Amino acid sequence: MGESTPPLDALSAAEAGQRYLYAVNLTDTQLTALHQTLSLDTHVMNVLCLLYLDLGTDMVRERTDPMAVYQCREYGWVVGDGRLQLTSEGLAAWWQWKNAVTPHRRDSRFQQLWRDVTGW
């Protein structure tokens, strides 16, 4: 161990407890920041999710905000007029969002975020 970190057996119980609480608070702060970041584009992610599941353009148009579909087009994540299709960039964006949420799905905030985007 480095000079700044004493060996574990040299820590008092109080100091170890303080370090644990600091780590827990830091983790909660990081999770809150992650949740806020992932919550920014829920309507857009809903469009990508429905297209990923290949539930049809009609369902996407019925169940999503038209501005979300427009944003997906702006980002280059969706193409097509009659039948909407997910681009490889759209698939990558959906996959990245899904992989960021999945490890935290036991947290009620992330459970609600998952439900908002996927519908279940």
Side-chain angles (χ1 to χ4, degrees):
M1 294 194 167
E3 291 181 19
S4 62
T5 306
L8 290 177
D9 58 349
L11 290 177
S12 69
E15 189 175 357
Q18 287 174 345
R19 287 185 180 192
Y20 171 76
L21 290 175
Y22 174 76
V24 167
N25 288 336
L26 182 62
T27 301
D28 189 52
T29 303
Q30 291 170 335
L31 283 177
T32 300
L34 176 62
H35 181 266
Q36 289 173 345
T37 301
L38 294 173
S39 296
L40 294 176
D41 288 334
T42 55
H43 297 297
V44 171
M45 290 301 139
N46 181 243
V47 171
L48 297 182
C49 176
L50 293 174
L51 290 174
Y52 173 74
L53 295 174
D54 198 22
L55 295 176
T57 302
D58 292 337
M59 181 175 277
V60 171
R61 294 183 198 277
E62 289 171 11
R63 295 183 178 237
T64 62
D65 180 18
M67 286 305 295
V69 175
Y70 178 76
Q71 281 181 304
C72 287
R73 287 181 192 277
E74 287 279 309
Y75 297 152
W77 294 347
V78 171
V79 294
D81 290 325
R83 183 173 191 273
L84 296 175
Q85 293 180 336
L86 198 58
T87 64
S88 58
E89 292 84 9
L91 176 61
W94 162 248
W95 207 253
Q96 183 179 9
W97 186 92
K98 181 190 78 64
N99 286 340
V101 170
T102 300
H104 310 290
R105 286 193 29 214
R106 291 181 183 249
D107 185 316
S108 61
R109 297 171 294 183
F110 289 91
Q111 287 175 357
Q112 185 59 48
L113 183 60
W114 183 261
R115 278 188 224 110
D116 291 344
V117 169
T118 63
W120 63 83

